[in-house]
Tab-separated table of all heavy atoms in Angstrom:
chain	number	residue	atom	x	y	z
A	453	TRP	N	-0.230	-4.994	-14.086
A	453	TRP	CA	-0.859	-3.958	-13.263
A	453	TRP	C	-2.362	-3.880	-13.557
A	453	TRP	O	-3.118	-3.448	-12.700
A	453	TRP	CB	-0.193	-2.586	-13.456
A	453	TRP	CG	1.070	-2.477	-12.657
A	453	TRP	CD1	2.339	-2.650	-13.133
A	453	TRP	CD2	1.179	-2.224	-11.280
A	453	TRP	NE1	3.245	-2.481	-12.109
A	453	TRP	CE2	2.559	-2.240	-10.953
A	453	TRP	CE3	0.290	-2.002	-10.270
A	453	TRP	CZ2	3.030	-2.033	-9.667
A	453	TRP	CZ3	0.748	-1.764	-8.967
A	453	TRP	CH2	2.099	-1.784	-8.694
A	454	ARG	N	-2.777	-4.309	-14.724
A	454	ARG	CA	-4.195	-4.272	-15.106
A	454	ARG	C	-5.023	-5.031	-14.064
A	454	ARG	O	-6.101	-4.593	-13.716
A	454	ARG	CB	-4.367	-4.832	-16.517
A	454	ARG	CG	-5.755	-4.672	-17.068
A	454	ARG	CD	-5.847	-5.130	-18.536
A	454	ARG	NE	-5.695	-6.588	-18.628
A	454	ARG	CZ	-4.659	-7.207	-19.188
A	454	ARG	NH1	-3.679	-6.539	-19.723
A	454	ARG	NH2	-4.621	-8.517	-19.236
A	455	TRP	N	-4.530	-6.158	-13.603
A	455	TRP	CA	-5.275	-6.956	-12.595
A	455	TRP	C	-4.659	-6.877	-11.187
A	455	TRP	O	-5.269	-7.288	-10.213
A	455	TRP	CB	-5.438	-8.402	-13.021
A	455	TRP	CG	-4.159	-9.209	-13.043
A	455	TRP	CD1	-3.581	-9.834	-11.971
A	455	TRP	CD2	-3.337	-9.485	-14.168
A	455	TRP	NE1	-2.418	-10.480	-12.373
A	455	TRP	CE2	-2.256	-10.291	-13.727
A	455	TRP	CE3	-3.395	-9.160	-15.520
A	455	TRP	CZ2	-1.255	-10.740	-14.583
A	455	TRP	CZ3	-2.394	-9.609	-16.353
A	455	TRP	CH2	-1.350	-10.382	-15.875
A	456	GLN	N	-3.425	-6.356	-11.072
A	456	GLN	CA	-2.754	-6.310	-9.769
A	456	GLN	C	-2.942	-4.981	-9.042
A	456	GLN	O	-2.776	-4.936	-7.819
A	456	GLN	CB	-1.225	-6.490	-9.973
A	456	GLN	CG	-0.821	-7.858	-10.415
A	456	GLN	CD	0.667	-8.008	-10.563
A	456	GLN	OE1	1.169	-9.080	-10.379
A	456	GLN	NE2	1.396	-6.970	-10.888
A	457	ALA	N	-3.271	-3.930	-9.715
A	457	ALA	CA	-3.306	-2.588	-9.108
A	457	ALA	C	-4.233	-2.532	-7.932
A	457	ALA	O	-3.861	-2.012	-6.860
A	457	ALA	CB	-3.701	-1.539	-10.154
A	458	VAL	N	-5.453	-3.043	-8.060
A	458	VAL	CA	-6.373	-2.975	-6.935
A	458	VAL	C	-5.826	-3.692	-5.736
A	458	VAL	O	-5.848	-3.188	-4.618
A	458	VAL	CB	-7.772	-3.520	-7.351
A	458	VAL	CG1	-8.675	-3.650	-6.127
A	458	VAL	CG2	-8.409	-2.661	-8.409
A	459	ALA	N	-5.306	-4.899	-5.929
A	459	ALA	CA	-4.759	-5.684	-4.819
A	459	ALA	C	-3.553	-5.007	-4.189
A	459	ALA	O	-3.443	-4.926	-2.970
A	459	ALA	CB	-4.412	-7.103	-5.301
A	460	PHE	N	-2.663	-4.492	-5.008
A	460	PHE	CA	-1.445	-3.857	-4.500
A	460	PHE	C	-1.803	-2.671	-3.603
A	460	PHE	O	-1.357	-2.561	-2.462
A	460	PHE	CB	-0.549	-3.402	-5.650
A	460	PHE	CG	0.792	-2.911	-5.198
A	460	PHE	CD1	1.885	-3.756	-5.172
A	460	PHE	CD2	0.966	-1.573	-4.837
A	460	PHE	CE1	3.130	-3.285	-4.742
A	460	PHE	CE2	2.215	-1.114	-4.429
A	460	PHE	CZ	3.293	-1.980	-4.361
A	461	PHE	N	-2.632	-1.768	-4.125
A	461	PHE	CA	-2.954	-0.563	-3.378
A	461	PHE	C	-3.925	-0.858	-2.226
A	461	PHE	O	-3.944	-0.129	-1.233
A	461	PHE	CB	-3.435	0.543	-4.296
A	461	PHE	CG	-2.346	1.008	-5.240
A	461	PHE	CD1	-2.415	0.834	-6.607
A	461	PHE	CD2	-1.193	1.628	-4.722
A	461	PHE	CE1	-1.395	1.266	-7.451
A	461	PHE	CE2	-0.176	2.037	-5.562
A	461	PHE	CZ	-0.261	1.872	-6.924
A	462	THR	N	-4.697	-1.939	-2.317
A	462	THR	CA	-5.555	-2.345	-1.222
A	462	THR	C	-4.712	-2.724	-0.025
A	462	THR	O	-5.053	-2.404	1.111
A	462	THR	CB	-6.493	-3.516	-1.641
A	462	THR	OG1	-7.444	-3.011	-2.554
A	462	THR	CG2	-7.203	-4.112	-0.445
A	463	LEU	N	-3.614	-3.427	-0.270
A	463	LEU	CA	-2.748	-3.803	0.862
A	463	LEU	C	-2.158	-2.581	1.545
A	463	LEU	O	-2.046	-2.555	2.753
A	463	LEU	CB	-1.618	-4.722	0.382
A	463	LEU	CG	-2.004	-6.186	0.134
A	463	LEU	CD1	-0.820	-6.985	-0.374
A	463	LEU	CD2	-2.580	-6.798	1.394
A	464	MET	N	-1.808	-1.596	0.744
A	464	MET	CA	-1.273	-0.366	1.360
A	464	MET	C	-2.361	0.378	2.121
A	464	MET	O	-2.127	0.856	3.232
A	464	MET	CB	-0.654	0.528	0.288
A	464	MET	CG	0.562	-0.101	-0.372
A	464	MET	SD	1.431	1.057	-1.436
A	464	MET	CE	2.136	2.168	-0.216
A	465	HIS	N	-3.552	0.443	1.561
A	465	HIS	CA	-4.628	1.189	2.150
A	465	HIS	C	-5.265	0.452	3.325
A	465	HIS	O	-5.519	1.057	4.375
A	465	HIS	CB	-5.693	1.483	1.092
A	465	HIS	CG	-6.956	2.102	1.602
A	465	HIS	ND1	-8.070	1.337	1.873
A	465	HIS	CD2	-7.252	3.354	1.950
A	465	HIS	CE1	-9.009	2.128	2.357
A	465	HIS	NE2	-8.537	3.371	2.405
A	466	SER	N	-5.503	-0.818	3.207
A	466	SER	CA	-6.257	-1.573	4.208
A	466	SER	C	-5.392	-2.227	5.254
A	466	SER	O	-5.888	-2.639	6.305
A	466	SER	CB	-7.126	-2.632	3.540
A	466	SER	OG	-8.039	-2.044	2.643
A	467	CYS	N	-4.090	-2.404	4.956
A	467	CYS	CA	-3.185	-3.049	5.914
A	467	CYS	C	-2.014	-2.138	6.300
A	467	CYS	O	-1.196	-2.527	7.132
A	467	CYS	CB	-2.664	-4.343	5.356
A	467	CYS	SG	-3.911	-5.573	5.009
A	468	GLY	N	-1.943	-0.969	5.703
A	468	GLY	CA	-0.882	-0.024	6.066
A	468	GLY	C	0.501	-0.459	5.658
A	468	GLY	O	1.480	-0.045	6.282
A	469	LEU	N	0.597	-1.283	4.620
A	469	LEU	CA	1.923	-1.752	4.183
A	469	LEU	C	2.747	-0.637	3.605
A	469	LEU	O	2.223	0.282	2.981
A	469	LEU	CB	1.822	-2.859	3.124
A	469	LEU	CG	1.221	-4.182	3.552
A	469	LEU	CD1	1.417	-5.228	2.428
A	469	LEU	CD2	1.776	-4.703	4.852
A	470	ARG	N	4.041	-0.744	3.750
A	470	ARG	CA	4.984	0.130	3.034
A	470	ARG	C	5.007	-0.336	1.594
A	470	ARG	O	4.771	-1.504	1.287
A	470	ARG	CB	6.382	0.004	3.630
A	470	ARG	CG	6.529	0.509	5.048
A	470	ARG	CD	7.951	0.266	5.545
A	470	ARG	NE	8.117	0.796	6.876
A	470	ARG	CZ	7.983	0.069	7.988
A	470	ARG	NH1	7.684	-1.219	7.945
A	470	ARG	NH2	8.163	0.637	9.171
A	471	THR	N	5.348	0.570	0.681
A	471	THR	CA	5.448	0.228	-0.717
A	471	THR	C	6.425	-0.940	-0.936
A	471	THR	O	6.099	-1.896	-1.657
A	471	THR	CB	5.912	1.444	-1.545
A	471	THR	OG1	5.122	2.571	-1.206
A	471	THR	CG2	5.790	1.200	-3.036
A	472	GLY	N	7.546	-0.881	-0.309
A	472	GLY	CA	8.565	-1.941	-0.443
A	472	GLY	C	8.103	-3.268	0.110
A	472	GLY	O	8.471	-4.331	-0.399
A	473	GLU	N	7.292	-3.231	1.142
A	473	GLU	CA	6.747	-4.486	1.716
A	473	GLU	C	5.794	-5.157	0.754
A	473	GLU	O	5.818	-6.382	0.574
A	473	GLU	CB	6.042	-4.205	3.052
A	473	GLU	CG	6.975	-3.778	4.143
A	473	GLU	CD	6.285	-3.276	5.391
A	473	GLU	OE1	5.078	-2.956	5.339
A	473	GLU	OE2	6.966	-3.181	6.430
A	474	ALA	N	4.945	-4.366	0.095
A	474	ALA	CA	4.013	-4.921	-0.881
A	474	ALA	C	4.804	-5.429	-2.107
A	474	ALA	O	4.494	-6.525	-2.641
A	474	ALA	CB	3.000	-3.870	-1.322
A	475	ARG	N	5.802	-4.715	-2.522
A	475	ARG	CA	6.612	-5.134	-3.694
A	475	ARG	C	7.352	-6.430	-3.401
A	475	ARG	O	7.464	-7.294	-4.293
A	475	ARG	CB	7.646	-4.038	-4.033
A	475	ARG	CG	7.075	-2.807	-4.660
A	475	ARG	CD	8.125	-1.749	-5.007
A	475	ARG	NE	9.352	-2.312	-5.455
A	475	ARG	CZ	10.563	-2.131	-4.857
A	475	ARG	NH1	10.666	-1.369	-3.785
A	475	ARG	NH2	11.644	-2.637	-5.368
A	476	ALA	N	7.864	-6.603	-2.192
A	476	ALA	CA	8.680	-7.782	-1.839
A	476	ALA	C	7.838	-8.961	-1.336
A	476	ALA	O	8.383	-10.029	-1.042
A	476	ALA	CB	9.702	-7.402	-0.798
A	477	LEU	N	6.538	-8.781	-1.252
A	477	LEU	CA	5.661	-9.838	-0.664
A	477	LEU	C	5.791	-11.149	-1.471
A	477	LEU	O	5.527	-11.179	-2.664
A	477	LEU	CB	4.212	-9.338	-0.676
A	477	LEU	CG	3.207	-10.237	0.025
A	477	LEU	CD1	3.514	-10.343	1.518
A	477	LEU	CD2	1.805	-9.677	-0.169
A	478	ARG	N	6.209	-12.196	-0.813
A	478	ARG	CA	6.408	-13.492	-1.450
A	478	ARG	C	5.053	-14.228	-1.510
A	478	ARG	O	4.221	-14.076	-0.641
A	478	ARG	CB	7.380	-14.352	-0.661
A	478	ARG	CG	8.638	-13.660	-0.185
A	478	ARG	CD	9.684	-13.428	-1.181
A	478	ARG	NE	10.324	-14.638	-1.648
A	478	ARG	CZ	11.119	-14.669	-2.683
A	478	ARG	NH1	11.384	-13.555	-3.352
A	478	ARG	NH2	11.673	-15.763	-3.083
A	479	THR	N	4.884	-15.007	-2.557
A	479	THR	CA	3.627	-15.758	-2.698
A	479	THR	C	3.462	-16.699	-1.506
A	479	THR	O	2.345	-16.883	-1.022
A	479	THR	CB	3.602	-16.562	-4.006
A	479	THR	OG1	4.754	-17.397	-4.083
A	479	THR	CG2	3.529	-15.643	-5.201
A	480	ALA	N	4.547	-17.275	-1.006
A	480	ALA	CA	4.468	-18.207	0.130
A	480	ALA	C	4.097	-17.499	1.439
A	480	ALA	O	3.686	-18.149	2.396
A	480	ALA	CB	5.808	-18.906	0.278
Side-chain angles (χ1 to χ4, degrees):
W453 280 100
R454 188 175 68 248
W455 68 83
Q456 292 181 150
V458 172
F460 188 93
F461 294 115
T462 291
L463 283 179
M464 295 189 71
H465 173 261
S466 300
C467 298
L469 293 191
R470 294 176 178 96
T471 310
E473 292 170 344
R475 288 179 37 240
L477 187 63
R478 315 283 292 169
T479 55

